[in-house]
Amino acid sequence: MFRTKRTGLVRRLWRSRAPVEGDGDADTRTHGSGGCCMGKSTKVAGKTSAGTDAELKSLTHSILKQIKEKQLEGLLQAVESKGGARSPCLLLPSKVDTKLGQQSYSLPLLLYKVFRWPDLMDCSELKRLSCCESYGEINPELVCCNPHHMSRLCELESPPPPYSRYPMDFLKPPDSPDSGPSSTETGGTTYSAPVGLSDPQALQESGDRSHWCVVAYWEEKTRVGRLYSVQEPSLDIFYDLPQGNGFCLGQLSSDNKSPLAQMVRTKIGYGIQLSREPDGVWVYNRSCYPIFIKSATLDNPDSRTLLVHKVFPGFSIKAFDFEKADSLQRPNDHEFTQQPRTGFTVQISFVKGWGQCYTRQFISSCPCWLEVIFNNQ
């Protein structure tokens, strides 16, 4: 029987839909069993909660067959690469509703559920990525429905989970074995704390005052490669990405032969996207494993310690707020007394967390981690 190109694209898209709980192929790493950014709903919707799988298939096919072939190709590229390849926006009418069983969904919400998050309940749980044409638009007639131009919003728990409460790294004595990351680019210079680089030192090494931040990559106590100066509004930091430019950790030469570090490197995958936006700096977890973040502006200004926040795959978190950082006053915080620029630094660990309920109590014991130093000048 003759099959059109459009029909073939629709069938490939349906085969690439996001698995739901009970399919056997569902990737539980994107949900986890707890943490600080599970969104408003952590329960994965079952097949029968809003119509049968047959009804969903029929509805999805009928919608996709109304979309232009070129748009279907772009959507397929995004879905099959799981966001790793650059894909165009899928601009569709924003005010079209669809009905599945007894439940009504907007067209964007239905496509996000089918191709990325089956448990998604409302578009208010999402944040549009800055690379999207619809970013910043208010109630447009056409809205981008590309599921990989969106991310889940990370909602911090209050109070935070027990694993995230841990005193600042500075409490480690300077002569302790874990206290000083050494640099592979500064002739063996040893820094005095796992905080890593001070802001003036980062600015001096980068040699460029026009950047808004610099990024250092560490493996345990050793910095690998040079500082990466960031001038563009967004930066992809990855180990292996099918398409795209940015800071490729896989191209850095490391002398670390630790099996754990080598294993974690391979799990960094698509890594993270760091973007400066009007309300602050956002971190989007593009990888298949959690990342862990510590930032002075993520916590209550009156708190005595900074918390380590777990961010699951597909989630975004506002990791830094410039205005809040300028107004931070921590008279009881020893790190802020000893390191004035600590408020302008964010630490991010791939795959492995650190803190009270982890084997690694300090980030300098994590196999692969980043230090982001913001330019406050």
Side-chain angles (χ1 to χ4, degrees):
M1 182 177 178
F2 178 74
R3 180 187 301 175
T4 65
K5 181 179 179 181
R6 182 189 302 275
T7 301
L9 291 171
V10 170
R11 290 188 177 185
R12 285 178 63 186
L13 278 164
W14 177 251
R15 289 196 298 268
S16 300
R17 69 191 183 280
V20 298
E21 190 176 49
D23 279 353
D25 295 327
D27 190 350
T28 56
R29 292 174 304 182
T30 61
H31 303 288
S33 58
C36 71
C37 60
M38 293 308 296
K40 295 181 179 178
S41 174
T42 60
K43 184 178 181 180
V44 179
K47 293 181 181 180
T48 60
S49 62
T52 65
D53 191 63
E55 291 175 325
L56 179 61
K57 179 178 180 179
S58 176
L59 177 60
T60 304
H61 274 62
S62 66
I63 291 172
L64 294 178
K65 287 178 179 179
Q66 299 177 46
I67 299 176
K68 297 178 181 178
E69 285 187 8
K70 188 174 182 180
Q71 290 179 307
L72 289 176
E73 290 174 348
L75 177 59
L76 183 63
Q77 181 184 34
V79 171
E80 288 189 336
S81 70
K82 300 186 184 300
R86 290 182 176 178
S87 56
C89 287
L90 176 63
L91 297 176
L92 299 175
S94 60
K95 299 178 181 179
V96 174
D97 288 335
T98 58
K99 194 167 185 179
L100 181 62
Q102 300 300 316
Q103 186 74 35
S104 294
Y105 298 100
S106 66
L107 182 56
L109 178 59
L110 180 69
L111 293 179
Y112 299 152
K113 286 176 68 70
V114 170
F115 293 111
R116 195 151 188 210
W117 297 293
D119 63 318
L120 184 66
M121 301 303 294
D122 192 272
C123 285
S124 62
E125 301 173 35
L126 301 178
K127 177 190 180 298
R128 193 170 296 278
L129 300 177
S130 59
C131 63
C132 182
E133 290 181 20
S134 297
Y135 175 78
E137 297 289 333
I138 301 177
N139 299 322
E141 291 296 322
L142 297 177
V143 65
C144 177
C145 298
N146 186 330
H148 289 279
H149 285 191
M150 307 294 291
S151 65
R152 297 290 287 268
L153 273 171
C154 183
E155 295 186 353
L156 305 182
E157 289 184 353
S158 181
Y163 69 76
S164 65
R165 286 201 176 278
Y166 200 76
M168 303 288 283
D169 291 341
F170 76 93
L171 293 175
K172 194 80 168 178
D175 56 352
S176 171
D178 280 338
S179 65
S182 62
S183 170
T184 60
E185 289 291 330
T186 56
T189 300
T190 299
Y191 300 113
S192 61
V195 171
L197 302 168
S198 65
D199 188 71
Q201 181 184 4
L203 184 63
Q204 182 179 5
E205 281 201 46
S206 68
D208 184 4
R209 293 181 177 271
S210 63
H211 69 280
W212 60 271
C213 79
V214 293
V215 180
Y217 171 61
W218 298 80
E219 291 184 356
E220 297 175 329
K221 296 187 288 291
T222 302
R223 199 183 88 209
V224 180
R226 298 183 179 276
L227 293 178
Y228 192 99
S229 180
V230 184
Q231 298 177 341
E232 298 298 323
S234 66
L235 171 70
D236 290 323
I237 304 174
F238 56 92
Y239 189 85
D240 182 20
L241 190 65
Q243 293 181 7
N245 300 315
F247 188 8
C248 180
L249 305 180
Q251 294 182 348
L252 300 179
S253 177
S254 172
D255 295 330
N256 191 341
K257 304 302 182 183
S258 163
L260 180 60
Q262 294 177 1
M263 180 271 290
V264 171
R265 282 188 218 122
T266 63
K267 291 187 175 183
I268 293 173
Y270 296 172
I272 65 171
Q273 185 177 87
L274 192 70
S275 59
R276 178 168 185 174
E277 303 181 24
D279 62 338
V281 178
W282 286 79
V283 174
Y284 167 46
N285 185 1
R286 304 181 66 185
S287 75
C288 293
Y289 296 88
I291 60 173
F292 300 81
I293 296 181
K294 187 173 77 172
S295 167
T297 65
L298 275 175
D299 301 317
N300 189 318
D302 298 326
S303 64
R304 295 183 61 85
T305 62
L306 294 186
L307 310 178
V308 177
H309 300 275
K310 187 176 185 178
V311 182
F312 285 96
F315 282 77
S316 284
I317 187 171
K318 187 166 78 169
F320 190 77
D321 186 317
F322 282 94
E323 291 186 6
K324 189 175 179 181
D326 285 329
S327 61
L328 279 177
Q329 297 292 331
R330 293 175 181 262
N332 298 322
D333 194 316
H334 295 284
E335 183 170 4
F336 271 72
T337 302
Q338 298 177 11
Q339 299 279 349
R341 295 302 110 198
T342 296
F344 290 86
T345 300
V346 170
Q347 296 172 335
I348 305 170
S349 175
F350 294 104
V351 185
K352 300 297 182 180
W354 76 99
Q356 186 175 5
C357 291
Y358 287 88
T359 304
R360 299 160 192 82
Q361 297 181 357
F362 302 92
I363 193 169
S364 58
S365 298
C366 292
C368 302
W369 56 284
L370 301 171
E371 186 175 29
V372 184
I373 308 103
F374 298 101
N375 184 2
N376 66 320
Q377 300 185 3

